[in-house]
Amino acid sequence: MTLSFSGIAVSSGIAIGEALTLRRDTIDVSPRELDKKETTAEVRRLKRALKTARTQLLSVRDNIPKDAPADVSAFIETHILMLDDTLFIGRPVEIIKSERINAEAALQRQKEELSRAFDAMEDRYLATRIDDVNHVIDSVMQALGTSEEQGSDSATGIGGDHWSGRIVVSDDLTPADTIAMQHHGVAGFVTESGGPLSHTAILARSLGIPAIVGVHGARRYIKAGEILAVDGRSGIVLAEATDSTLADFREAQKRQRQETRELKKLIDTDTVTADGVAISLMANIDIEEDLKSLKRVNADGVGLYRTEFLYLNRDTTPDEAEHLRVYQRVLRALKGAPLTIRTVDLGADKMVPSHIASNKGSDRNPALGRRGIRLCLSEPEELFLPQLRAIFRASSKGPIRILLPMLTSADEARQCMTLIDQVRTQLREDGVDFDESVPVGGMIEVPAAAIVAEHLAAELDFLSIGTNDLIQYTLAIDRVDDQVNYLYDPLNPAVLSLIHNSIDAGRKASVPVSLCGEMAGDVRYVRLLLGLGLTELSMPPNLLLQVKEILISSRRSKLKRQAMAFLSAATREERERLLDRINS
Ligand code: PEP
Ligand code: MG
């Protein structure tokens, strides 16, 4: 019987493939009493799981992509060493034997013991290494589950063909999982939680992997190995569909490929509206891999390089030299096209890695805590200055712009400018060759910044509207929480007034304003944004040609009045009606 599920469509495209269910959050660690015979078997089961976890880690190490930061393998090596440590692996065996309890409960006991020991450590750095310990113990737990539940697996155990062509069904995925899975050819994702603006969803879009999030209970009903059909446009997932339905999905897949081929014809067409307004279409990149898609669509440059991905999947902070190497590589690939580097925006769902000294781990509400520029300004030596120095040093090799995330006031912008001036002075003194006039811009992604956009425009060289956070903070909805996703409304007049105010402030100060949130790549809003006055949009590269197709057939002069009407549209119905009209 066909089962149908619906969720939030976050990355379009159709995928058909076998389900691969991940069960990372459902391991039962409660103690189960064992008799003597069972105890011996349980020790054997644990040893098998330890071996599986080790083999998985070796496979991860051997499959690390060539362009991954060097420290990724060091990080995996540490975990392998732990699994080779006789004291480490001996303790749960001892617990099983002495307390006659199951392996999961023994591992949990070991985890708690170690956690207490690490907590008591005075050395902060050493104390943070508990993350590695937990990671290794969790991978053994998952391996225990794997041997029992055919088809279950863990994201950390990624290796080889196992993932290729399959559809991963999981509770949630981290951005790091998504990158690793893409390397192994996963065909699509279905997750039970998450929102369209989570960084995992953004990555799936930019990597071109069909994905649906917020499919409640997916893993209760979908069995490993079942054939799934996923429609990343409508948010529909079908399990065990009939042959004729699968044929329809394949047909739709073919049509999409045909549409993509048609769009490719626009690659060399200039982006100029039907009434002659030139538009700059830039790409958002998260990892260097995205540069390939950027070339495929011939973007005008990079409007947003999210550098926080340089800090994930590793246990050290990238230093100036590493930043410099990466930026130089990206500039070389861009061959003279501009590169907008956003200084690191760690925090909230782009979790601050525990090895970063400034991670005090006490943010009660990470989205409102020391995120983005706040973190950088609180730890300039560790985070901000090395990155700024590297950006300036790379600037002698190609056109670079600096973009500051999460600004809320002109004071913050000034604080950043003081540090930037300090970096310039130092580099001059050191005789380093760099571009003195690297433009410095600010993200408008907090309502306060949009309201005082005029003050920011007075301090900065350009502004870039980040609608993902602007919508989150204006409408008070967590961007990764599928339960409040129904309130996510880019057309809410509160959001549009803030966008309009920012564009207006830029126009009055003759400061360019672009938009780099996901809204820029959503075909439903392209004409509205054009009507509001935007002439630079930055988006995941895969969406760029669709946006171009709409722009070149639109007349901005006709859209202005229609766009302004949205600002006073009080109800959702009215806004939907206006949207239909502007797009007709
Ligand atoms: C945004 O908030 O719109 C944005 C582009 O930044 P990020 O999605 O990385 O938070
Ligand atoms: Mg943001």
Side-chain angles (χ1 to χ4, degrees):
M1 191 185 66
T2 303
L3 288 180
S4 167
F5 308 86
S6 87
I8 306 164
V10 297
S11 176
S12 70
I14 289 185
I16 300 168
E18 254 182 50
L20 192 93
T21 51
L22 298 188
R23 297 192 183 277
R24 298 178 297 171
D25 56 341
T26 53
I27 296 166
D28 182 3
V29 294
S30 49
R32 192 162 39 84
E33 261 184 60
L34 306 174
D35 61 30
K36 199 158 180 230
K37 230 168 70 209
E38 283 175 320
T39 307
T40 316
E42 196 65 359
V43 169
R44 268 205 307 275
R45 189 167 82 92
L46 174 68
K47 288 191 173 163
R48 261 202 315 274
L50 286 162
K51 206 166 145 199
T52 309
R54 193 175 181 281
T55 314
Q56 285 177 340
L57 280 173
L58 290 174
S59 154
V60 172
R61 185 191 62 189
D62 296 343
N63 283 289
I64 290 172
K66 286 195 187 55
D67 55 359
D71 289 14
V72 174
S73 48
F75 168 64
I76 303 289
E77 288 294 350
T78 314
H79 293 181
I80 294 170
L81 283 177
M82 277 190 216
L83 283 174
D84 288 338
D85 183 314
T86 44
L87 273 181
F88 187 82
I89 60 175
R91 181 61 189 144
V93 172
E94 204 179 285
I95 299 174
I96 295 178
K97 285 184 181 161
S98 62
E99 305 202 15
R100 294 216 183 144
I101 53 171
N102 52 318
E104 287 86 350
L107 283 168
Q108 183 62 19
R109 188 76 51 86
Q110 182 193 23
K111 201 170 174 181
E112 286 160 11
E113 285 174 7
L114 287 168
S115 172
R116 278 194 296 275
F118 273 75
D119 255 0
M121 285 179 188
E122 300 239 315
D123 182 321
R124 227 200 133 259
Y125 175 72
L126 277 183
T128 63
R129 304 303 300 226
I130 186 65
D131 289 354
D132 290 306
V133 173
N134 287 339
H135 187 97
V136 172
I137 295 181
D138 288 348
S139 66
V140 181
M141 290 252 202
Q142 282 152 16
L144 280 170
T146 311
S147 54
E148 286 182 348
E149 185 177 338
Q150 204 245 335
S152 291
D153 217 323
S154 94
T156 49
I158 292 169
D161 297 339
H162 188 50
W163 299 80
S164 174
R166 294 188 164 180
I167 295 170
V168 172
V169 184
S170 173
D171 52 330
D172 200 359
L173 293 170
T174 64
D177 291 336
T178 315
I179 295 173
M181 287 179 187
Q182 192 263 350
H183 278 291
H184 294 291
V186 160
F189 297 122
V190 176
T191 65
E192 294 181 341
S193 49
L197 300 179
S198 70
H199 286 89
T200 302
I202 290 174
L203 265 175
R205 265 194 296 282
S206 77
L207 296 169
I209 307 173
I212 301 179
V213 302
V215 183
H216 299 281
R219 288 171 309 155
R220 199 155 359 117
Y221 302 105
I222 296 174
K223 291 198 210 69
E226 266 179 356
I227 297 295
L228 296 185
V230 168
D231 181 349
R233 255 189 216 179
S234 63
I236 298 290
V237 185
L238 300 180
E240 293 297 286
T242 60
D243 287 348
S244 85
T245 309
L246 284 179
D248 290 345
F249 266 73
R250 289 205 177 89
E251 205 38 52
Q253 217 171 16
K254 245 199 248 162
R255 272 198 305 278
Q256 274 191 7
R257 289 198 190 112
Q258 178 59 27
E259 277 167 29
T260 312
R261 272 196 295 276
E262 285 297 315
L263 282 174
K264 283 210 174 115
K265 295 181 183 155
L266 296 178
I267 286 180
D268 294 319
T269 307
D270 288 338
T271 315
V272 179
T273 64
D275 54 349
V277 183
I279 310 287
S280 166
L281 290 186
M282 312 280 271
N284 293 352
I285 62 167
D286 299 338
I287 50 178
E288 280 182 76
E289 184 116 3
D290 290 333
L291 289 167
K292 290 186 204 144
S293 350
L294 178 140
K295 275 188 209 145
R296 280 199 286 272
V297 297
N298 197 10
D300 293 324
V302 172
L304 168 67
Y305 178 15
R306 289 186 171 94
T307 55
E308 39 286 357
F309 289 94
L310 293 174
Y311 294 71
L312 305 182
N313 278 354
R314 55 185 291 161
D315 63 355
T316 56
T317 307
D319 61 9
E320 181 181 328
E322 183 177 341
H323 278 289
L324 178 62
R325 276 196 303 276
V326 176
Y327 303 153
Q328 284 174 337
R329 275 203 304 270
V330 175
L331 281 171
R332 264 198 303 279
L334 285 175
K335 297 195 174 101
L339 168 63
T340 312
I341 301 180
R342 184 174 70 186
T343 56
V344 63
D345 178 29
L346 287 170
D349 69 321
K350 290 171 286 191
M351 279 186 299
V352 184
S354 55
H355 58 84
I356 289 185
S358 45
N359 177 10
K360 310 266 185 331
S362 60
D363 288 343
R364 278 164 185 270
N365 185 342
L368 302 181
R370 283 169 318 122
R371 193 192 149 177
I373 205 67
R374 302 169 184 183
L375 197 58
C376 281
L377 289 174
S378 69
E379 296 292 337
E381 296 294 337
E382 185 189 14
L383 288 175
F384 206 28
L385 293 172
Q387 184 172 30
L388 288 173
R389 278 180 64 88
I391 296 175
F392 276 102
R393 287 174 65 189
S395 70
S396 63
K397 300 275 187 278
I400 288 192
R401 304 195 296 179
I402 295 174
L403 181 56
L404 306 166
M406 286 288 293
L407 292 174
T408 49
S409 67
D411 305 299
E412 259 170 352
R414 278 193 194 172
Q415 257 179 291
C416 294
M417 291 314 290
T418 306
L419 289 168
I420 288 172
D421 284 342
Q422 188 181 312
V423 166
R424 284 199 191 106
T425 309
Q426 260 175 14
L427 290 174
R428 244 176 260 130
E429 281 168 12
D430 296 348
V432 174
D433 187 23
F434 69 97
D435 176 4
E436 290 274 356
S437 59
V438 169
V440 181
M443 295 279 297
I444 304 284
E445 50 185 349
V446 176
I451 293 165
V452 299
E454 197 187 328
H455 302 172
L456 292 172
E459 304 291 332
L460 299 163
D461 301 312
F462 68 99
L463 303 176
S464 186
I465 305 170
T467 43
N468 306 341
D469 279 312
L470 189 60
I471 295 169
Q472 153 166 273
Y473 292 121
T474 307
L475 303 181
I477 50 165
D478 184 340
R479 62 193 272 182
V480 296
D481 185 349
D482 58 296
Q483 297 185 79
V484 285
N485 181 62
Y486 71 100
L487 292 171
Y488 169 76
D489 180 13
L491 299 182
N492 186 305
V495 174
L496 292 179
S497 303
L498 293 173
I499 294 178
H500 179 247
N501 193 56
S502 311
I503 298 170
D504 217 35
R507 190 180 44 75
K508 286 186 186 138
S510 301
V511 162
V513 181
S514 61
L515 191 142
C516 65
E518 296 297 295
M519 195 178 173
D522 191 325
V523 289
R524 290 169 299 172
Y525 308 130
V526 173
R527 285 175 166 225
L528 166 63
L529 297 178
L530 179 64
L532 287 174
L534 285 161
T535 53
E536 184 183 315
L537 301 173
S538 190
M539 65 203 73
N542 296 336
L543 306 174
L544 192 140
L545 293 177
Q546 297 174 31
V547 171
K548 188 191 268 196
E549 186 181 37
I550 296 173
L551 286 169
I552 57 180
S553 63
S554 305
R555 289 183 173 275
R556 187 170 75 169
S557 47
K558 259 185 64 185
L559 297 175
K560 276 189 183 163
R561 216 160 29 87
Q562 289 188 46
M564 295 315 284
F566 280 83
L567 300 182
S568 48
T571 64
R572 217 166 181 153
E573 290 77 45
E574 202 178 337
R575 300 195 280 275
E576 292 297 335
R577 196 174 45 72
L578 289 173
L579 195 64
D580 284 345
R581 207 177 69 198
I582 204 168
N583 287 329
S584 64

